[in-house]
Amino acid sequence: KLLVVPVDGSHWLSMREVLDMLQQKGHEVVVVAPEVTMHIKPSENFVMKMYAVPYTQEEMEKGFKAFFQVSFEEGLFFERFLKVYKGMKRITEFGVSSCEHLLQNKELIRYLEESKFDAILTDPFIPCGAILAEHLSLPSMYFLRGIPCGLDFDATQCPKPPSYVPRVFTHLSDRMSFLQRVKNLLFDIPNVFLCDLAFQPYSKLASEFLQREVTVLDLLRKGSVWLLRLEFVLDYPRPLMPNIIPIGGVNCAHKELPQ
C-alpha cells in the first residue's frame, strides 16, 4: 500500500507512468494532491485524495509560465541568476502554501495516519512528502530529476567537488582547464542563497508540524531509495551512492525507441 505525494508539472508526467505500472502489479496506490493542479488528475489506477489551497488555477499557471520562460533566455549569468531567483521565489510560495494547507488538513492527516501505508513515493523537489514520511514513520522512495542548489548531493553524501562536477549554467564538461575549474567554483556560490530561499520555509513548516527543530536536509537524509531520472548521455556526469538508481529511460515512456 503506497502513499504518493507528487510534484505537479513535468515531474508528474513521468511519475504517473510508474504508478500505472505499480497498479498493474497489484499495489494499492493513494495519491495526495491539491485541488488546483496543472497535470495531476484523477485516474482509475489510483485513489485520489485532494485538499483545498488558497490560490487559483490562473495564478499558478501564470507563475509557472514566467519561471519556465527564464530557462530559454540568453544573457549574462548574473542577469539570469536574478531572474531565476525571482521566479523560484514565486514558485516556492505556491509549494509552501500547498504544503502548509496539506499539513493543516486534520481530516486528511488523520486518514493518512489510519491507512497504515507500507511506504511513501514522493518527489523531494517539494519536500512535503518527506515531512509526511517522517510523521508517519514510513520508508521513503524519492523520484526526482534533481533538487535546486544540489541538496540531493548533500543528502546522499555524494561527492561533488567543483574541480570535477560541472555546475548548471556553466556550459562546462567534466574535462576542465584550471581557469574553467575556477569558473565552476564561482558559479557554485549562488547555490547557497538559492538553497536558503527554496527550503528554509519548508524547514519552518516541518519544525512546526513535527514539533521539533528539523531541517529539510535532515529529512532528505532519511530517504531509502533515490530514483534519479538522469541519463548521463544527456546529463552532467556525477558520482552515485548505492541507493541511487538512474532511471532516465522513464522520461521516454511515450516514445517507442529502437534498441
Side-chain angles (χ1 to χ4, degrees):
K1 190 172 184 180
L2 188 68
L3 172 61
V4 179
V5 184
V7 170
D8 204 358
S10 59
H11 296 247
W12 165 251
L13 299 180
S14 296
M15 182 179 279
R16 188 182 61 196
E17 298 288 337
V18 176
L19 300 187
D20 291 343
M21 189 61 67
L22 287 171
Q23 190 274 338
Q24 291 175 30
K25 290 180 177 293
H27 300 286
E28 184 180 343
V29 179
V30 177
V31 176
V32 174
E35 290 179 346
V36 177
T37 66
M38 290 185 290
H39 296 300
I40 304 174
K41 307 299 178 189
S43 166
E44 60 183 17
N45 290 332
F46 51 79
V47 176
M48 190 83 158
K49 293 292 181 180
M50 308 192 85
Y51 57 93
V53 287
Y55 50 84
T56 66
Q57 187 82 26
E58 184 180 5
E59 288 172 335
M60 182 186 67
E61 290 181 357
K62 183 179 179 181
F64 272 88
K65 284 179 181 176
F67 179 65
F68 293 148
Q69 187 61 39
V70 175
S71 303
F72 297 99
E73 292 181 0
E74 299 289 335
L76 297 174
F77 168 75
F78 287 104
E79 289 178 353
R80 287 186 294 163
F81 174 76
L82 287 175
K83 289 180 180 179
V84 168
Y85 186 89
K86 290 177 182 177
M88 187 176 287
K89 186 176 181 181
R90 182 65 177 137
I91 296 299
T92 299
E93 289 171 357
F94 287 120
V96 171
S97 176
S98 173
C99 186
E100 183 177 15
H101 281 74
L102 167 57
L103 299 178
Q104 290 177 351
N105 191 318
K106 294 183 179 179
E107 184 180 345
L108 180 53
I109 295 297
R110 190 180 307 113
Y111 163 80
L112 298 179
E113 290 170 343
E114 295 172 353
S115 294
K116 306 298 180 185
F117 291 99
D118 297 303
I120 184 168
L121 175 65
T122 186
D123 187 328
F125 188 87
I126 293 180
C128 208
I131 298 173
L132 281 178
E134 181 70 9
H135 175 68
L136 301 172
S137 298
L138 294 176
S140 50
M141 297 175 288
Y142 295 145
F143 184 93
L144 71 157
R145 182 70 171 74
I147 306 181
C149 69
L151 206 62
D152 49 331
F153 283 88
D154 296 329
T156 54
Q157 299 185 52
C158 276
K160 59 166 185 175
S163 299
Y164 296 95
V165 181
R167 301 316 194 232
V168 293
F169 291 142
T170 60
H171 303 295
L172 298 173
S173 73
D174 57 326
R175 295 177 181 273
M176 294 178 271
S177 66
F178 174 75
L179 289 178
Q180 287 175 327
R181 295 179 200 279
V182 172
K183 173 186 175 181
N184 201 47
L185 177 64
L186 294 175
F187 271 54
D188 201 33
I189 294 173
N191 278 333
V192 177
F193 304 103
L194 285 177
C195 227
D196 189 59
L197 165 75
F199 294 111
Q200 185 56 37
Y202 291 105
S203 295
K204 185 169 181 273
L205 264 183
S207 298
E208 291 172 355
F209 181 68
L210 299 171
Q211 298 185 337
R212 58 185 172 82
E213 198 66 31
V214 66
T215 66
V216 169
L217 189 58
D218 294 332
L219 297 173
L220 294 182
R221 281 177 176 149
K222 298 188 177 182
S224 300
V225 178
W226 294 67
L227 302 174
L228 278 190
R229 294 188 289 111
L230 293 180
E231 171 53 64
F232 290 150
V233 172
L234 300 174
D235 295 287
Y236 288 131
R238 53 172 285 188
L240 300 178
M241 288 300 183
N243 64 333
I244 299 176
I245 306 168
I247 54 166
V250 74
N251 298 323
C252 305
H254 292 287
K255 302 283 187 181
E256 292 189 8
L257 301 176
Q259 187 63 38

